[in-house]
């Protein structure tokens, strides 16, 4: 009887998530341009994903972005949250709002703003000129060596606020007596952080990593607005390849196979992070 209460929510979930996912899996077994009749090709689209050097590079770019979207924000967020929590800064709600502000801005708006900052005549090069480092200026999003790190930096800026707020919430629940006990044992700030703070926010770190890793792997709008996968294919990522193949090249079956592989990869990484977090809590 209790399952009847869950039925409306399950129907909505199945209609808008499970059915499209099953349909994508089905399409991935066909060679289809989206207009004419599809032909069955079995696992050929998946074999092409593994054999295509460009697609392997796109997945590699997504893994690089994990470092910028997840690892760096977690490290920076831990430092910022520890400082704000330990120093008992006056006006903490103001700092929380400022840090979290990027999260309330649409990613398309963020991408347009940063594209202007990274432009050859944009704010970053102007700043370098002003401090006498004009020789370092370049078209950051048009350079083969800096385009992907530039996109990653935007991801770090965008995700750090979310991670910091999550960690601040976790640190706010730590019993102050634990810190007092650590100080009585002669622990300094670093030892307090390693022995008390870090183990206490393991769950929040797990949640933050899960959210930011998913954001890194499914990044599309940032890449589309800033570089469209260029220069060359140096910033192409799987989600952009899904769009490119489905709507530009008419390879809907191949696009569906990439999407399924990306979904499996996101699920696998999220599962590992969750398991590690749960093991630490137990």
């Amino acid at each position: 009887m209790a399952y009847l209460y869950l039925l409306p929510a399950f129907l909505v979930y199945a209609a808008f998530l499970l059915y499209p996912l099953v349909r994508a899996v089905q399409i991935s077994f066909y060679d289809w341009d989206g207009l004419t009749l599809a032909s069955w090709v079995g696992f050929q689209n998946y074999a092409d994903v593994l054999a295509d050097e460009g697609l392997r590079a796109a997945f590699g770019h997504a893994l690089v972005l994990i470092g910028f979207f997840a690892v760096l924000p977690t490290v920076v967020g831990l430092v910022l949250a520890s400082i704000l929590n330990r120093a008992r800064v006056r006006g903490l709600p103001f700092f929380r709002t400022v840090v979290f502000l990027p999260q309330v801005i649409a990613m398309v708006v963020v991408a347009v703003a940063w594209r202007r900052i990274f432009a050859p005549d944009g704010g970053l090069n102007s700043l370098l000129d002003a401090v006498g480092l004009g020789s370092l200026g370049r078209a950051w999003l048009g350079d083969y060596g800096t385009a992907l790190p530039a996109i990653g930096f935007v991801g770090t800026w965008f995700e750090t606020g979310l991670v910091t707020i999550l960690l601040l919430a976790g640190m706010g629940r730590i019993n102050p007596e634990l810190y007092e006990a650590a100080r009585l044992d002669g622990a300094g700030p670093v030892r307090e952080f390693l022995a008390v703070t870090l183990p206490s926010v393991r769950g929040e770190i797990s949640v933050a990593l899960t959210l930011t890793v998913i954001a890194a792997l499914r990044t599309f709008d940032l890449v589309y607005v800033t570089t469209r996968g260029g220069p060359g294919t140096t910033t192409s990522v799987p989600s952009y390849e899904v769009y490119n193949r489905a709507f530009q090249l008419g390879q809907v079956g191949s696009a569906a196979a990439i999407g399924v592989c990306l979904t499996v990869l996101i699920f696998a990484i999220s599962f590992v992070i969750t398991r590690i977090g749960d093991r630490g809590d137990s």
Side-chain angles (χ1 to χ4, degrees):
M1 188 65 181
Y3 290 106
L4 290 177
Y5 292 101
L6 301 177
L7 185 59
F10 177 76
L11 289 177
V12 173
Y13 180 77
F16 292 100
L17 185 67
L18 295 183
Y19 174 73
L21 183 59
V22 172
R23 185 80 173 121
V25 174
Q26 180 191 9
I27 293 173
S28 70
F29 292 118
Y30 288 86
D31 179 14
W32 186 38
D33 61 5
L35 298 173
T36 59
L37 291 177
S39 57
W40 172 265
V41 294
F43 287 93
Q44 185 58 48
N45 286 327
Y46 292 95
D48 292 341
V49 171
L50 297 176
D52 191 312
E53 185 177 347
L55 283 179
R56 292 203 306 270
F59 277 93
H61 298 156
L63 295 178
V64 171
L65 290 182
I66 288 178
F68 287 98
F69 277 67
V71 178
L72 278 178
T74 302
V75 174
V76 176
L78 273 171
V79 174
L80 279 178
S82 298
I83 293 173
L84 292 173
N85 184 62
R86 183 181 177 83
R88 303 295 178 188
V89 179
R90 293 182 63 183
L92 185 58
F94 171 76
F95 287 104
R96 283 177 175 167
T97 303
V98 171
V99 170
F100 192 72
L101 192 59
Q103 285 288 322
V104 303
I105 305 174
M107 181 55 87
V108 173
V109 177
V110 170
V112 170
W114 279 98
R115 185 178 63 183
R116 183 61 197 148
I117 292 173
F118 285 134
D121 59 346
L124 180 55
N125 285 339
S126 298
L127 177 62
L128 290 173
D129 283 333
V131 298
L133 297 175
S135 60
L136 298 178
R138 64 193 66 198
W140 298 92
L141 295 173
D143 189 296
Y144 281 81
T146 60
L148 188 61
I151 290 177
F153 179 80
V154 178
T156 302
W157 174 82
F158 186 78
E159 299 294 348
T160 296
L162 172 65
V163 176
T164 303
I165 295 301
L166 281 173
L167 295 175
L168 265 176
M171 291 177 187
R173 292 197 300 270
I174 300 175
N175 190 342
E177 293 179 356
L178 294 176
Y179 288 109
E180 294 176 7
R183 287 169 195 148
L184 288 175
D185 288 340
V190 175
R191 183 64 179 168
E192 280 184 24
F193 174 78
L194 295 175
V196 179
T197 305
L198 198 56
S200 300
V201 296
R202 191 191 300 269
E204 284 76 11
I205 293 175
S206 175
V207 172
L209 283 175
T210 301
L211 294 176
T212 51
V213 165
I214 291 174
L217 291 175
R218 70 178 187 183
T219 297
F220 168 76
D221 37 13
L222 179 59
V223 171
Y224 180 80
V225 174
T226 54
T227 64
R228 300 205 172 196
T233 58
T234 52
T235 60
S236 183
V237 291
S239 54
Y240 181 78
E241 286 296 329
V242 171
Y243 162 79
N244 187 41
R245 296 199 174 213
F247 298 105
Q248 301 291 329
L249 303 178
Q251 300 174 2
V252 180
S254 175
I258 298 171
V260 172
C261 291
L262 182 60
T263 302
V264 171
L265 180 62
I266 290 175
F267 178 80
I269 294 178
S270 301
F271 179 77
V272 170
I273 293 174
T274 304
R275 289 289 296 173
I276 293 175
D278 291 344
R279 186 177 302 174
D281 291 339
S282 63

PDB file of all heavy atoms in Angstrom, residues 86 174-197 199-200:
ATOM      1  N   ARG A  86      37.324  29.253  11.401  1.00  0.00           N
ATOM      2  CA  ARG A  86      38.235  29.365  12.544  1.00  0.00           C
ATOM      3  C   ARG A  86      38.380  30.813  13.016  1.00  0.00           C
ATOM      4  O   ARG A  86      38.412  31.074  14.218  1.00  0.00           O
ATOM      5  CB  ARG A  86      39.614  28.823  12.159  1.00  0.00           C
ATOM      6  CG  ARG A  86      40.628  28.826  13.292  1.00  0.00           C
ATOM      7  CD  ARG A  86      41.970  28.293  12.826  1.00  0.00           C
ATOM      8  NE  ARG A  86      42.964  28.366  13.877  1.00  0.00           N
ATOM      9  CZ  ARG A  86      43.121  27.487  14.832  1.00  0.00           C
ATOM     10  NH1 ARG A  86      42.322  26.429  14.876  1.00  0.00           N
ATOM     11  NH2 ARG A  86      44.043  27.634  15.763  1.00  0.00           N
ATOM     12  N   ILE A 174      30.705  20.870  13.890  1.00  0.00           N
ATOM     13  CA  ILE A 174      31.748  20.204  14.684  1.00  0.00           C
ATOM     14  C   ILE A 174      31.688  20.694  16.132  1.00  0.00           C
ATOM     15  O   ILE A 174      31.610  21.899  16.390  1.00  0.00           O
ATOM     16  CB  ILE A 174      33.148  20.479  14.087  1.00  0.00           C
ATOM     17  CG1 ILE A 174      33.220  19.950  12.647  1.00  0.00           C
ATOM     18  CG2 ILE A 174      34.230  19.831  14.939  1.00  0.00           C
ATOM     19  CD1 ILE A 174      34.523  20.274  11.944  1.00  0.00           C
ATOM     20  N   ASN A 175      31.716  19.769  17.064  1.00  0.00           N
ATOM     21  CA  ASN A 175      31.680  20.109  18.491  1.00  0.00           C
ATOM     22  C   ASN A 175      32.945  20.889  18.894  1.00  0.00           C
ATOM     23  O   ASN A 175      34.059  20.379  18.718  1.00  0.00           O
ATOM     24  CB  ASN A 175      31.586  18.813  19.309  1.00  0.00           C
ATOM     25  CG  ASN A 175      31.300  19.089  20.768  1.00  0.00           C
ATOM     26  OD1 ASN A 175      31.485  20.206  21.266  1.00  0.00           O
ATOM     27  ND2 ASN A 175      30.827  18.072  21.470  1.00  0.00           N
ATOM     28  N   PRO A 176      32.803  22.116  19.433  1.00  0.00           N
ATOM     29  CA  PRO A 176      33.991  22.898  19.816  1.00  0.00           C
ATOM     30  C   PRO A 176      34.872  22.180  20.844  1.00  0.00           C
ATOM     31  O   PRO A 176      36.081  22.459  20.927  1.00  0.00           O
ATOM     32  CB  PRO A 176      33.386  24.177  20.419  1.00  0.00           C
ATOM     33  CG  PRO A 176      32.018  24.281  19.831  1.00  0.00           C
ATOM     34  CD  PRO A 176      31.556  22.868  19.641  1.00  0.00           C
ATOM     35  N   GLU A 177      34.284  21.254  21.616  1.00  0.00           N
ATOM     36  CA  GLU A 177      35.082  20.534  22.618  1.00  0.00           C
ATOM     37  C   GLU A 177      36.172  19.687  21.964  1.00  0.00           C
ATOM     38  O   GLU A 177      37.210  19.415  22.572  1.00  0.00           O
ATOM     39  CB  GLU A 177      34.173  19.653  23.479  1.00  0.00           C
ATOM     40  CG  GLU A 177      33.213  20.460  24.357  1.00  0.00           C
ATOM     41  CD  GLU A 177      32.314  19.558  25.190  1.00  0.00           C
ATOM     42  OE1 GLU A 177      32.409  18.317  25.002  1.00  0.00           O
ATOM     43  OE2 GLU A 177      31.533  20.075  26.000  1.00  0.00           O
ATOM     44  N   LEU A 178      35.935  19.261  20.720  1.00  0.00           N
ATOM     45  CA  LEU A 178      36.962  18.485  20.020  1.00  0.00           C
ATOM     46  C   LEU A 178      38.207  19.346  19.779  1.00  0.00           C
ATOM     47  O   LEU A 178      39.341  18.877  19.915  1.00  0.00           O
ATOM     48  CB  LEU A 178      36.411  17.957  18.695  1.00  0.00           C
ATOM     49  CG  LEU A 178      35.284  16.913  18.802  1.00  0.00           C
ATOM     50  CD1 LEU A 178      34.758  16.553  17.417  1.00  0.00           C
ATOM     51  CD2 LEU A 178      35.804  15.657  19.507  1.00  0.00           C
ATOM     52  N   TYR A 179      37.977  20.620  19.403  1.00  0.00           N
ATOM     53  CA  TYR A 179      39.114  21.520  19.185  1.00  0.00           C
ATOM     54  C   TYR A 179      39.838  21.806  20.514  1.00  0.00           C
ATOM     55  O   TYR A 179      41.076  21.873  20.566  1.00  0.00           O
ATOM     56  CB  TYR A 179      38.640  22.833  18.557  1.00  0.00           C
ATOM     57  CG  TYR A 179      38.217  22.690  17.116  1.00  0.00           C
ATOM     58  CD1 TYR A 179      36.887  22.788  16.751  1.00  0.00           C
ATOM     59  CD2 TYR A 179      39.160  22.455  16.114  1.00  0.00           C
ATOM     60  CE1 TYR A 179      36.492  22.660  15.423  1.00  0.00           C
ATOM     61  CE2 TYR A 179      38.782  22.327  14.796  1.00  0.00           C
ATOM     62  CZ  TYR A 179      37.448  22.432  14.448  1.00  0.00           C
ATOM     63  OH  TYR A 179      37.069  22.292  13.141  1.00  0.00           O
ATOM     64  N   GLU A 180      39.053  21.997  21.582  1.00  0.00           N
ATOM     65  CA  GLU A 180      39.663  22.268  22.893  1.00  0.00           C
ATOM     66  C   GLU A 180      40.516  21.081  23.335  1.00  0.00           C
ATOM     67  O   GLU A 180      41.624  21.254  23.865  1.00  0.00           O
ATOM     68  CB  GLU A 180      38.579  22.564  23.914  1.00  0.00           C
ATOM     69  CG  GLU A 180      37.817  23.862  23.637  1.00  0.00           C
ATOM     70  CD  GLU A 180      36.677  24.072  24.625  1.00  0.00           C
ATOM     71  OE1 GLU A 180      36.591  23.280  25.590  1.00  0.00           O
ATOM     72  OE2 GLU A 180      35.893  25.006  24.427  1.00  0.00           O
ATOM     73  N   ALA A 181      39.996  19.867  23.106  1.00  0.00           N
ATOM     74  CA  ALA A 181      40.764  18.676  23.478  1.00  0.00           C
ATOM     75  C   ALA A 181      42.058  18.579  22.673  1.00  0.00           C
ATOM     76  O   ALA A 181      43.123  18.219  23.200  1.00  0.00           O
ATOM     77  CB  ALA A 181      39.911  17.425  23.261  1.00  0.00           C
ATOM     78  N   ALA A 182      41.947  18.935  21.363  1.00  0.00           N
ATOM     79  CA  ALA A 182      43.140  18.893  20.519  1.00  0.00           C
ATOM     80  C   ALA A 182      44.179  19.909  20.987  1.00  0.00           C
ATOM     81  O   ALA A 182      45.384  19.616  21.006  1.00  0.00           O
ATOM     82  CB  ALA A 182      42.751  19.155  19.065  1.00  0.00           C
ATOM     83  N   ARG A 183      43.718  21.101  21.391  1.00  0.00           N
ATOM     84  CA  ARG A 183      44.661  22.125  21.863  1.00  0.00           C
ATOM     85  C   ARG A 183      45.311  21.718  23.169  1.00  0.00           C
ATOM     86  O   ARG A 183      46.492  21.996  23.407  1.00  0.00           O
ATOM     87  CB  ARG A 183      43.923  23.458  22.032  1.00  0.00           C
ATOM     88  CG  ARG A 183      43.565  24.116  20.710  1.00  0.00           C
ATOM     89  CD  ARG A 183      42.624  25.268  20.894  1.00  0.00           C
ATOM     90  NE  ARG A 183      42.031  25.656  19.622  1.00  0.00           N
ATOM     91  CZ  ARG A 183      40.806  26.155  19.483  1.00  0.00           C
ATOM     92  NH1 ARG A 183      40.042  26.325  20.548  1.00  0.00           N
ATOM     93  NH2 ARG A 183      40.360  26.483  18.296  1.00  0.00           N
ATOM     94  N   LEU A 184      44.553  21.056  24.050  1.00  0.00           N
ATOM     95  CA  LEU A 184      45.131  20.578  25.302  1.00  0.00           C
ATOM     96  C   LEU A 184      46.227  19.548  25.048  1.00  0.00           C
ATOM     97  O   LEU A 184      47.168  19.411  25.838  1.00  0.00           O
ATOM     98  CB  LEU A 184      44.036  19.975  26.190  1.00  0.00           C
ATOM     99  CG  LEU A 184      43.054  20.974  26.814  1.00  0.00           C
ATOM    100  CD1 LEU A 184      41.949  20.238  27.557  1.00  0.00           C
ATOM    101  CD2 LEU A 184      43.792  21.926  27.760  1.00  0.00           C
ATOM    102  N   ASP A 185      46.077  18.820  23.941  1.00  0.00           N
ATOM    103  CA  ASP A 185      47.111  17.836  23.562  1.00  0.00           C
ATOM    104  C   ASP A 185      48.272  18.479  22.822  1.00  0.00           C
ATOM    105  O   ASP A 185      49.163  17.780  22.332  1.00  0.00           O
ATOM    106  CB  ASP A 185      46.491  16.748  22.684  1.00  0.00           C
ATOM    107  CG  ASP A 185      45.585  15.830  23.492  1.00  0.00           C
ATOM    108  OD1 ASP A 185      45.739  15.796  24.735  1.00  0.00           O
ATOM    109  OD2 ASP A 185      44.719  15.152  22.891  1.00  0.00           O
ATOM    110  N   GLY A 186      48.230  19.826  22.694  1.00  0.00           N
ATOM    111  CA  GLY A 186      49.341  20.528  22.051  1.00  0.00           C
ATOM    112  C   GLY A 186      49.237  20.647  20.552  1.00  0.00           C
ATOM    113  O   GLY A 186      50.232  20.957  19.881  1.00  0.00           O
ATOM    114  N   ALA A 187      48.040  20.405  19.991  1.00  0.00           N
ATOM    115  CA  ALA A 187      47.893  20.477  18.541  1.00  0.00           C
ATOM    116  C   ALA A 187      47.859  21.923  18.076  1.00  0.00           C
ATOM    117  O   ALA A 187      47.193  22.768  18.689  1.00  0.00           O
ATOM    118  CB  ALA A 187      46.605  19.760  18.108  1.00  0.00           C
ATOM    119  N   GLY A 188      48.539  22.205  16.971  1.00  0.00           N
ATOM    120  CA  GLY A 188      48.496  23.525  16.347  1.00  0.00           C
ATOM    121  C   GLY A 188      47.372  23.584  15.321  1.00  0.00           C
ATOM    122  O   GLY A 188      46.609  22.629  15.159  1.00  0.00           O
ATOM    123  N   PRO A 189      47.267  24.713  14.602  1.00  0.00           N
ATOM    124  CA  PRO A 189      46.197  24.854  13.607  1.00  0.00           C
ATOM    125  C   PRO A 189      46.203  23.755  12.543  1.00  0.00           C
ATOM    126  O   PRO A 189      45.145  23.239  12.178  1.00  0.00           O
ATOM    127  CB  PRO A 189      46.484  26.235  12.995  1.00  0.00           C
ATOM    128  CG  PRO A 189      47.228  26.981  14.052  1.00  0.00           C
ATOM    129  CD  PRO A 189      48.062  25.946  14.757  1.00  0.00           C
ATOM    130  N   VAL A 190      47.406  23.398  12.051  1.00  0.00           N
ATOM    131  CA  VAL A 190      47.480  22.378  11.006  1.00  0.00           C
ATOM    132  C   VAL A 190      47.056  21.020  11.552  1.00  0.00           C
ATOM    133  O   VAL A 190      46.287  20.277  10.929  1.00  0.00           O
ATOM    134  CB  VAL A 190      48.908  22.308  10.426  1.00  0.00           C
ATOM    135  CG1 VAL A 190      49.018  21.164   9.416  1.00  0.00           C
ATOM    136  CG2 VAL A 190      49.279  23.628   9.779  1.00  0.00           C
ATOM    137  N   ARG A 191      47.540  20.686  12.754  1.00  0.00           N
ATOM    138  CA  ARG A 191      47.189  19.406  13.374  1.00  0.00           C
ATOM    139  C   ARG A 191      45.696  19.341  13.703  1.00  0.00           C
ATOM    140  O   ARG A 191      45.064  18.302  13.536  1.00  0.00           O
ATOM    141  CB  ARG A 191      48.006  19.244  14.665  1.00  0.00           C
ATOM    142  CG  ARG A 191      47.797  17.912  15.367  1.00  0.00           C
ATOM    143  CD  ARG A 191      48.279  16.752  14.537  1.00  0.00           C
ATOM    144  NE  ARG A 191      48.100  15.492  15.232  1.00  0.00           N
ATOM    145  CZ  ARG A 191      48.224  14.309  14.647  1.00  0.00           C
ATOM    146  NH1 ARG A 191      48.508  14.227  13.362  1.00  0.00           N
ATOM    147  NH2 ARG A 191      48.053  13.195  15.344  1.00  0.00           N
ATOM    148  N   GLU A 192      45.125  20.476  14.140  1.00  0.00           N
ATOM    149  CA  GLU A 192      43.676  20.536  14.390  1.00  0.00           C
ATOM    150  C   GLU A 192      42.903  20.254  13.111  1.00  0.00           C
ATOM    151  O   GLU A 192      41.910  19.516  13.106  1.00  0.00           O
ATOM    152  CB  GLU A 192      43.288  21.917  14.906  1.00  0.00           C
ATOM    153  CG  GLU A 192      43.549  22.149  16.373  1.00  0.00           C
ATOM    154  CD  GLU A 192      43.042  23.516  16.800  1.00  0.00           C
ATOM    155  OE1 GLU A 192      42.133  24.049  16.125  1.00  0.00           O
ATOM    156  OE2 GLU A 192      43.568  24.048  17.787  1.00  0.00           O
ATOM    157  N   PHE A 193      43.394  20.851  12.008  1.00  0.00           N
ATOM    158  CA  PHE A 193      42.698  20.671  10.727  1.00  0.00           C
ATOM    159  C   PHE A 193      42.733  19.202  10.295  1.00  0.00           C
ATOM    160  O   PHE A 193      41.719  18.643   9.868  1.00  0.00           O
ATOM    161  CB  PHE A 193      43.351  21.552   9.660  1.00  0.00           C
ATOM    162  CG  PHE A 193      42.811  21.331   8.284  1.00  0.00           C
ATOM    163  CD1 PHE A 193      41.595  21.883   7.911  1.00  0.00           C
ATOM    164  CD2 PHE A 193      43.515  20.568   7.360  1.00  0.00           C
ATOM    165  CE1 PHE A 193      41.087  21.677   6.635  1.00  0.00           C
ATOM    166  CE2 PHE A 193      43.016  20.357   6.091  1.00  0.00           C
ATOM    167  CZ  PHE A 193      41.804  20.914   5.727  1.00  0.00           C
ATOM    168  N   LEU A 194      43.917  18.575  10.438  1.00  0.00           N
ATOM    169  CA  LEU A 194      44.063  17.191   9.974  1.00  0.00           C
ATOM    170  C   LEU A 194      43.364  16.191  10.896  1.00  0.00           C
ATOM    171  O   LEU A 194      42.816  15.183  10.437  1.00  0.00           O
ATOM    172  CB  LEU A 194      45.555  16.843   9.861  1.00  0.00           C
ATOM    173  CG  LEU A 194      46.345  17.621   8.803  1.00  0.00           C
ATOM    174  CD1 LEU A 194      47.824  17.267   8.879  1.00  0.00           C
ATOM    175  CD2 LEU A 194      45.798  17.338   7.406  1.00  0.00           C
ATOM    176  N   ALA A 195      43.383  16.477  12.216  1.00  0.00           N
ATOM    177  CA  ALA A 195      42.856  15.495  13.172  1.00  0.00           C
ATOM    178  C   ALA A 195      41.378  15.693  13.486  1.00  0.00           C
ATOM    179  O   ALA A 195      40.682  14.729  13.826  1.00  0.00           O
ATOM    180  CB  ALA A 195      43.666  15.569  14.483  1.00  0.00           C
ATOM    181  N   VAL A 196      40.875  16.930  13.366  1.00  0.00           N
ATOM    182  CA  VAL A 196      39.486  17.204  13.755  1.00  0.00           C
ATOM    183  C   VAL A 196      38.635  17.620  12.554  1.00  0.00           C
ATOM    184  O   VAL A 196      37.602  16.999  12.261  1.00  0.00           O
ATOM    185  CB  VAL A 196      39.432  18.305  14.849  1.00  0.00           C
ATOM    186  CG1 VAL A 196      37.981  18.608  15.220  1.00  0.00           C
ATOM    187  CG2 VAL A 196      40.232  17.888  16.067  1.00  0.00           C
ATOM    188  N   THR A 197      39.068  18.678  11.873  1.00  0.00           N
ATOM    189  CA  THR A 197      38.220  19.256  10.816  1.00  0.00           C
ATOM    190  C   THR A 197      38.034  18.303   9.643  1.00  0.00           C
ATOM    191  O   THR A 197      36.894  18.010   9.235  1.00  0.00           O
ATOM    192  CB  THR A 197      38.838  20.580  10.321  1.00  0.00           C
ATOM    193  OG1 THR A 197      39.036  21.454  11.431  1.00  0.00           O
ATOM    194  CG2 THR A 197      37.913  21.244   9.324  1.00  0.00           C
ATOM    195  N   PRO A 199      38.448  14.949   9.131  1.00  0.00           N
ATOM    196  CA  PRO A 199      37.592  13.762   9.293  1.00  0.00           C
ATOM    197  C   PRO A 199      36.129  14.106   9.517  1.00  0.00           C
ATOM    198  O   PRO A 199      35.245  13.345   9.113  1.00  0.00           O
ATOM    199  CB  PRO A 199      38.188  13.071  10.537  1.00  0.00           C
ATOM    200  CG  PRO A 199      39.562  13.608  10.663  1.00  0.00           C
ATOM    201  CD  PRO A 199      39.503  15.010  10.149  1.00  0.00           C
ATOM    202  N   SER A 200      35.855  15.261  10.114  1.00  0.00           N
ATOM    203  CA  SER A 200      34.467  15.617  10.436  1.00  0.00           C
ATOM    204  C   SER A 200      33.670  16.044   9.213  1.00  0.00           C
ATOM    205  O   SER A 200      32.435  16.014   9.244  1.00  0.00           O
ATOM    206  CB  SER A 200      34.443  16.747  11.479  1.00  0.00           C
ATOM    207  OG  SER A 200      35.091  16.343  12.666  1.00  0.00           O
TER     208      SER A 200
END
